Structures are given as C-alpha cells and as structure tokens.
Amino acid sequence: DIVMTQSPLSLPVTLGQPASISCRSSQSLLHGNGDTFLSWFQQRPGQPPRRLVYQVSKRDSGVPDRFSGSGSGNDFTLKISRVEAEDVGVYYCMQGTHWPPGFTFGQGTKLEIK
Amino acid sequence: EVQLVESGGGLVQPGGSLRLSCAASGFTFSSYVMHWVRQAPGKGLVWVSRISHDATSTMYADFVKGRFTISRDNAKDMVYLQMNSLTADDTAVYYCVRDFNHDVDHWGQGTQVTVSS
C-alpha cells in the first residue's frame, strides 16, 4: 500500500515568518493521464478539513496566495510565505492517484504560533 | 453552494449498529462519487468507503470490510453508511465528502460516533 509521510509533525512558527511542510509518498503520484493527484488540507481546531491546494500546486478559490504547493513524483511541499494567526491547525497531504487502496493521507503536521 | 450535512451519529455499545446519513445539496448529486472519511479522537484522517455516482460500484477500507455498507439514494440526494459489529476502534468523527477528479473537494461538518459500554 502507498504510504504518505509528512515532516515535521510539529511546526512552531513566529507570526510573519515562513513555514514549510514536506510530504513524501512511497510511490510516484504521477497518474497515467499525466496529472498528479496530491492535495493539501487545513484543519483548524474543531473544524472539518478544508482543501487548500489540489494537483500539487493549484490553489482553491478563496485560499490566500501566501499558500503555495510544489513538487513532483514522490516529493511535495506546502509553503506559507508569512504565517498568520488564522493558519493555526493541522495540515494534511493526501494522494488520489492510486486506487485501491483509496485516498491516503499523511499523518498531519500541527502548526502553532511560537 | 455545496453542502453536505451528516447525521445519525451517537453513542452505541460494542457489537451494536448505527446508520449514518449525509444530505447533499447545491450540486447535481447523481453525477458525483461520494466517500466517507473518519477521524478518531486526536488522530489523523482515514478513508473508509467509496460509492460510484450510480451506486453500481462500492469500495471499502480493509478494516471495515464485511461490517460497513455504503449506499446512496440519488432521488433524495442522500448517501448512507450502515455500520455493524462496531468496536471501540470505530469511535471517530465520520465525514461525508465529495469526490471530484481523484480528489476530495468538499467536506461535511462530520458526525460523532462513540462506541462504548
């Protein structure tokens, strides 16, 4: 089965500073149709997850442009250019390329303000 | 606006059953694959089950196979998760999610399932 590995699992960041989260997959996420189905989700405390980025680097509507996704193959990154207080929460990567076994999520990265 | 509203969660004894419902609105429900994803207390997100847009195909995570059944009613814009033989490990918030192009683009608010004696 495909495994998604995020790092770090805990990310203390000073307000206004950048942050970066890594996500690595045990297999390439390049689909046979040429797309790569790697998404990033933000889960604020007490809230359901919300998608920020899909297909590696496409930002969802309403997502601030301080969030950006990059990567290819097995190696992906979510960057926040300047962390704001509202960014506190847990961030998950998810792959949708390989079925079965189904959508596979990373363990989550908890972002907190230092 | 896309809305997914789960219901049916609650407290159930080990070995018991529960049926979750998800009411969809704001989109052409019958055109979309739907899933259930769960999150145990303090833990991460785990995919549970998938149903095709026309209900002809279903998939399950290994840990629920034979115990859970996903279904849908396109006339009512509803998706369901029948959960039998529940154990403490099934305690979680269950989210109904919409699939779009190999991805999850919308989540419901979730419904809490607690399995305890």
Side-chain angles (χ1 to χ4, degrees):
Chain A
D1 281 1
I2 189 164
V3 177
M4 306 294 289
T5 303
Q6 289 183 227
S7 63
L9 299 185
S10 177
L11 184 55
V13 184
T14 301
L15 284 173
Q17 293 301 301
S20 180
I21 302 171
S22 169
C23 176
R24 291 194 165 94
S25 56
S26 59
Q27 302 173 41
S28 172
L29 298 187
L30 179 63
H31 192 273
N33 69 2
D35 290 329
T36 299
F37 298 106
L38 185 284
S39 301
W40 290 95
F41 296 87
Q42 175 196 60
Q43 188 174 32
R44 291 171 171 152
Q47 295 294 314
R50 160 203 182 198
R51 195 177 68 179
L52 301 174
V53 169
Y54 63 99
Q55 290 181 35
V56 180
S57 60
K58 299 177 181 178
R59 229 180 356 256
D60 273 277
S61 174
V63 174
D65 61 7
R66 64 177 182 275
F67 289 92
S68 65
S70 63
S72 63
N74 300 52
D75 198 355
F76 306 92
T77 303
L78 177 71
K79 291 182 178 175
I80 310 173
S81 58
R82 295 172 306 279
V83 169
E84 297 189 4
E86 66 178 17
D87 300 335
V88 165
V90 181
Y91 291 79
Y92 296 91
C93 62
M94 184 199 82
Q95 73 86 24
T97 295
H98 297 283
W99 277 85
F103 293 129
T104 314
F105 296 88
Q107 317 98 299
T109 294
K110 186 173 184 179
L111 186 149
E112 60 181 23
I113 304 300
K114 235 189 256 185
Chain B
E1 179 196 0
V2 172
Q3 284 203 318
L4 300 168
V5 180
E6 303 93 336
S7 60
L11 175 63
V12 61
Q13 291 190 337
S17 298
L18 218 49
R19 188 198 196 202
L20 306 184
S21 300
C22 171
S25 61
F27 63 102
T28 305
F29 179 72
S30 60
S31 297
Y32 287 83
V33 173
M34 299 294 294
H35 303 257
W36 289 94
V37 173
R38 75 183 188 184
Q39 186 171 35
K43 302 295 186 183
L45 302 166
V46 179
W47 173 80
V48 174
S49 183
R50 170 195 189 271
I51 187 165
S52 61
H53 70 285
D54 58 3
T56 58
S57 170
T58 58
M59 293 179 66
Y60 299 93
D62 286 346
F63 55 83
V64 303
K65 268 182 193 170
R67 300 189 300 126
F68 290 13
T69 303
I70 191 171
S71 62
R72 67 190 294 161
D73 184 338
N74 284 348
K76 296 182 178 178
D77 292 354
M78 298 286 294
V79 62
Y80 306 99
L81 187 68
Q82 177 67 43
M83 305 187 296
N84 299 330
S85 304
L86 286 163
T87 73
D89 289 342
D90 296 315
T91 294
V93 174
Y94 285 74
Y95 294 103
C96 169
V97 304
R98 190 179 84 165
D99 183 314
F100 181 73
N101 193 25
H102 299 259
D103 207 336
V104 173
D105 66 348
H106 285 90
W107 298 69
Q109 288 293 314
T111 187
Q112 175 71 51
V113 172
T114 303
V115 184
S116 174
S117 55

